[in-house]
Amino acid sequence: MALTHPITPAQIRAGRGLLKWTQGVLASRAAVSVVTLNMIESDQVAPRTRTLASIRSVLEGEGIRFIGSESEGFGVMMRPRAGAEESSRGPNPRSESPKKTTSRSMRAAE
């Protein structure tokens, strides 16, 4: 699998940020150590191609898209998830309002 360009440390951090993931979550899913991911994100080490491919694969699998070029710069964007379009329109006025639930202790006190 040929990559158009290697992903940058900033893109990895930005992708994690869009997903609201900690380094621990991404490291676990990409099967790398948190220390390794931290060193990659802080540009302290030149990562192996296989490691970057694993990180990229996990992030892309969650909807992160790596964009840009050497001449224009690099960035990330997140594809909308399935069903996100409907939820972004707000509640359906025809839907029933959720039932009010009362805990067992609240019912006992009534």
Side-chain angles (χ1 to χ4, degrees):
M1 172 174 117
L3 299 177
T4 55
H5 64 82
I7 57 177
T8 67
Q11 285 178 302
I12 296 169
R13 289 190 308 270
R16 259 193 330 101
L18 286 171
L19 294 170
K20 298 179 181 169
W21 282 4
T22 63
Q23 285 183 334
V25 171
L26 178 55
S28 173
R29 293 186 182 201
V32 299
S33 75
V34 175
V35 171
T36 297
L37 180 60
N38 182 281
M39 291 175 67
I40 292 168
E41 286 189 355
S42 59
D43 212 11
Q44 295 177 12
V45 65
R48 294 181 176 146
T49 303
R50 180 176 63 230
T51 303
L52 278 183
S54 177
I55 293 168
R56 181 182 198 125
S57 175
V58 168
L59 291 172
E60 287 179 338
E62 293 295 322
I64 300 301
R65 184 169 164 223
F66 298 97
I67 58 173
S69 66
E70 287 285 338
S71 62
E72 294 181 10
F74 298 106
V76 297
M77 44 190 292
M78 189 161 90
R79 290 187 223 114
R81 296 190 181 270
E85 189 175 302
E86 289 178 16
S87 65
S88 67
R89 292 185 207 147
N92 183 349
R94 295 182 190 157
S95 68
E96 294 180 26
S97 59
K99 292 182 180 180
K100 184 177 176 185
T101 57
T102 309
S103 70
R104 185 177 296 165
S105 61
M106 295 276 297
R107 284 186 294 238
E110 291 177 341

